[in-house]
Amino acid sequence: MSDKIKPHHLARKALLYVRQSSTHQVLHNRESQALQYAMRDRLVALGWSEVDTVDDDLGRSAAGGVTRVGFERMVAEVCLGKVGAVSGPRSLPLRAQQPRLAAADRDVPRG
């Protein structure tokens, strides 16, 4: 296990975000999809016992204001503090989503 992964990370679930932007990619880039799904094994090897796969957005582009249900659910769970790790394609734009995540985090009720 990595020294960057702490018990409080492992106490929460890991999310595996599987995504390809077009139907063509889904149909013809099977190896890419298989490699993304295989990251589940890596998360388990790193110590996560609960790994949820979010693949609702396969074949959906982020362009043009298309709603990506899987991404929205992933952002919500991260903002609620339910997630200890997120794994996804290299192009996963979480850094670009930081302002949105921060705004959503301010809206989360604290108990």
Side-chain angles (χ1 to χ4, degrees):
M1 175 169 44
S2 169
D3 61 342
K4 294 181 181 183
I5 300 171
K6 305 295 182 199
H8 69 274
H9 295 118
L10 297 174
R12 301 175 191 165
K13 66 181 163 186
L15 291 180
L16 172 60
Y17 186 62
V18 177
R19 185 169 167 276
Q20 291 173 307
S21 298
S22 69
T23 303
H24 182 270
Q25 287 178 335
V26 172
L27 295 173
H28 300 286
N29 296 352
R30 298 279 187 191
E31 183 178 0
S32 169
Q33 193 177 113
L35 288 170
Q36 289 183 55
Y37 279 112
M39 282 301 298
R40 182 179 213 297
D41 296 335
R42 177 70 176 138
L43 290 165
V44 170
L46 287 169
W48 273 274
S49 58
E50 184 181 359
V51 179
D52 285 355
T53 300
V54 179
D55 57 5
D56 310 342
D57 300 335
L58 281 172
R60 291 181 168 264
S61 173
V66 174
T67 301
R68 292 181 293 151
V69 175
F71 187 80
E72 296 296 327
R73 179 168 56 97
M74 183 178 65
V75 169
E77 291 195 44
V78 168
C79 289
L80 290 170
K82 296 180 177 181
V83 179
V86 174
S87 178
R90 191 174 306 208
S91 61
L92 183 64
L94 280 182
R95 186 172 306 272
Q97 296 295 330
Q98 282 178 337
R100 187 165 148 209
L101 288 171
D105 189 49
R106 284 191 300 271
D107 296 334
V108 173
R110 305 285 185 217

